Amino acid sequence: QVQLVELGGGLVQAGGSLRLSCTASGSISSFYAMGWYRQAPGKQRELVAGVTSGGSTNYADSVKGRFTISRDNAKMTVDLQMNSLKPEDTAVYYCAASWGEDVYWGQGTQVTVSS
């Protein structure tokens, strides 16, 4: 069993910043890839940013240059620094960890960006 707990969502004005944090525990190791996904009302869940065990990162085009993902393998945490937030970033953000076919999800945290 793997548990993922997200913290840091909330309400922010457009142009503001938020930092999301996810802590993993249980049967998980630093070999797992980790990432952040989001799902807006009426839309499919989409990848926002991912980071491999080796530290390679990838981002959705819509957040490049504004969001930064980072991980701490010793603490088993993955953070998402979100700057220059836009109303279209409003969504429930989910932390995910994967290894092979195994994928684990956090419970999600709401991010709301007001215009």
Side-chain angles (χ1 to χ4, degrees):
Q1 277 291 67
V2 174
Q3 294 81 40
L4 301 173
V5 177
E6 302 113 331
L7 293 174
L11 173 65
V12 65
Q13 288 189 333
S17 298
L18 280 175
R19 187 176 184 89
L20 304 182
S21 294
C22 173
T23 301
S25 61
S27 302
I28 188 170
S29 74
S30 60
F31 291 112
Y32 277 66
M34 300 188 76
W36 287 93
Y37 289 72
R38 68 186 180 189
Q39 187 166 18
K43 295 188 177 181
Q44 290 188 331
R45 190 173 298 188
E46 62 174 359
L47 175 68
V48 176
V51 57
T52 67
S53 58
S56 296
T57 59
N58 64 293
Y59 296 91
D61 288 342
S62 59
V63 307
K64 283 181 181 176
R66 300 188 298 122
F67 291 11
T68 303
I69 190 170
S70 60
R71 67 184 288 168
D72 184 327
N73 287 336
K75 297 180 179 178
M76 288 307 299
T77 59
V78 59
D79 293 349
L80 185 68
Q81 177 65 42
M82 305 185 293
N83 298 328
S84 302
L85 282 160
K86 304 175 180 180
E88 51 263 44
D89 294 317
T90 295
V92 177
Y93 284 70
Y94 297 90
C95 176
S98 63
W99 173 251
E101 296 182 350
D102 295 334
V103 182
Y104 300 93
W105 297 94
Q107 80 284 358
T109 185
Q110 178 70 46
V111 172
T112 302
V113 184
S114 63
S115 57

